Amino acid sequence: MARDITKVGVIGLGTMGAGIVEVFARNGIEVVAVEVDDEAVERGREHLDTSTGRAVARGKLSEDDQAALVSRVQFTSNLNDLKDCQLVVEAVPEHLHLKKEIFARLDQIVDEDAILATNTSSLPVTEIAVATSNPKRVVGMHFFNPAPVMQFVEVIKTVVTADDIFERVKGLAKRLGKQPVVVGDKAGFIANALLFGYLNHAVSMYESKYASREDIDAAMRLGCGYPMGPLALMDLIGLDTAYEILDTMYKQGRDRLHAPSPIIKQMVSAGLRGRKTGRGFYTYAAPGSSQVVEDAQTPRPNGERGIALRPIARVGVVGSGTMATGIVEVFAKAGYDVIYVARASTKVDSVRAALTKSLEKAVQRGKATEADRDAALAKITGSTRLDDLAEVDIVVEAVVEDLHVKQALFENLDEICKPGAILATTTSSLPVIECASATKRPQDVIGMHFFNPAQVMKLVEVVHTVSTADDVLATVQDLCVKIGKHPVTCGDRAGFIVNALLFPYLNDAVKMLEANYSTADDIDTAMKTGCSLPMGPFELLDVVGLDVALAIERELYLEFRERGYAPAPLLEHLVTAGYLGRKSSRGFRTYA
Ligand code: NAD
């Protein structure tokens, strides 16, 4: 029976290593913490002092416990001090030759029954293992950033790792309060393999000026409930580390979508490595600080850009479905006069009934007063005649997602609406330019992609085409703010920002499952616990509907012709079988 692990070593006290030291020491384990030289040792010590000091300040750790924790750590620049450690976790920079060299040396220093673990995010653990005389005792122990906070660890088992070794590492991870998932040795393991395709894609959107860094990040926070946007996350991870991870993934899988976006390498060369250097995609108050400060790329308010906005007082909404009803409510609550047009008087009545019910619910929950409710209802007029939209300042259409229907509607609106009126579509997948070119005023046409439920979701993707006038864009951005929404602006490409970033990632998760690399449960756990996403990919797919996901993925594939976007055959099969997710009681999981 192997002894409980009571003494460990950690090599490299950077972003990850310093946190890993803290995790062990917090759990009563003695730690030998190794850095390259005295200066780096001091930085590691300071990191531990600052981090535990913060915990004390927040009342999460007593001063006595902090002192005890710190006293458990022995700092050194001599690798030989690891002699008595039962486990050593290596967290030096992501370079294979460096890691192999360290493992070869460690092999000579520690006892023969000590376990050697690498915190590599992507490098082949097997190659690191064979640099030692006993590869059976080598595993990957992949912590997540920041290690003291994130409750997840991937334990990487190579083809030679002994069963008892990874079982002990799994047991230790649990003792540290982490949820371990065991996976094979494939670049990126679960979490990074799924995360980095998405991050790289976000970087290429930024690099091609498709959308600003602020908008890309806000889109994923507000549209998907992610705790952080992809570019802010790149800065946290470190661009040098991110580059190495993508590069390794690309070399192993030859997936073009993993080839690091050129700007990453340029930024690394220029020393813009993210938070740790005080500058990455954003600029920070100081190296290591999380506080973003203004820089030359910080967006200027529209007012400062000298663009005269078009006046908006009266709003038209076309449609009678969920989105149209929500949008009418949003505008009316913000004080705009709204005329909505439905195809039949029964539909006009049902929209009014839905609005009355929704506003009544808000009153009961204390979110609005009766006077607010009455004021909003008084602003709303229903009609079955498009001609009633002649005098509105903007029309937002939310009719069925069918190009022919929308184009006919835009032709009509073009004839009916007064000159200067803005014509907006809420389409989530059709090219906005197709609607614009159905009119003789393409400069006045724009996309306003609301999220469901429109009353609740803050995000609106404002989509400008090659024809959209600057003042139309500025007016709609401003209007979104006035109705309490957060606008993000992007070009007219399939998926806009959110769906274009989300669905290829969901598709990659299906491909990972299809390849039997891991299970739906472990993949969901990895993304929720390791990356703090609100739902795992399979949970989300079952909620969204597999047919809906497949349709979006097909569109992305058709537009971009990226092989990597081709829908996973497993998804196609599930849809063919009628397993559409929650709505059909079966998708990736079965529901009662
Ligand atoms: P980092 O650059 O922040 O820190 C690396 C540290 O290792 C530096 O302090 C450096 O001085 C030290 N070092 C270099 N050579 C050394 C040697 N020979 N002996 C002792 N120390 C040495 O890098 P990081 O982001 O902490 O990444 C470390 C490892 O953790 C990498 O393998 C990375 O892939 C992995 N990882 C990173 C993250 C992340 O979000 N950054 C998450 C999980 C895993």
Side-chain angles (χ1 to χ4, degrees), residues 231-251:
L231 301 173
L233 181 56
M234 286 286 288
D235 278 357
L236 174 69
I237 291 168
L239 268 64
D240 49 343
T241 304
Y243 178 84
E244 295 300 333
I245 293 172
L246 280 166
D247 194 50
T248 314
M249 281 172 53
Y250 175 67
K251 284 182 179 143

Side-chain angles (χ1 to χ4, degrees), residues 10-18 20 34-37 40-41 43-44 76-77 79 90-95 98-99 101-102 105 118-123 141-146 192 196 233 236-238 240-242 244-245 273 276:
V10 175
I11 310 179
L13 308 176
T15 308
M16 289 307 294
I20 297 170
V34 188
E35 257 292 349
V36 264
D37 52 31
V41 163
R43 273 202 310 273
T76 173
S77 57
L79 216 55
E90 162 281 312
V92 302
E94 192 77 342
H95 299 302
L98 176 64
K99 294 196 190 256
E101 184 195 309
I102 286 180
R105 284 179 63 198
T118 171
N119 184 47
T120 182
S121 309
S122 60
L123 296 171
M141 194 172 185
H142 183 230
F143 287 85
F144 285 71
N145 188 4
N192 284 345
F196 273 81
L233 181 56
L236 174 69
I237 291 168
D240 49 343
T241 304
E244 295 300 333
I245 293 172
R273 289 192 282 134
K276 58 187 166 191

Side-chain angles (χ1 to χ4, degrees), residues 381-403:
T381 316
S383 168
T384 53
R385 287 163 33 91
L386 279 179
D387 288 337
D388 288 343
L389 298 175
E391 292 305 317
V392 299
D393 303 307
I394 182 169
V395 179
V396 181
E397 74 73 19
V399 302
V400 65
E401 190 78 342
D402 175 321
L403 186 57

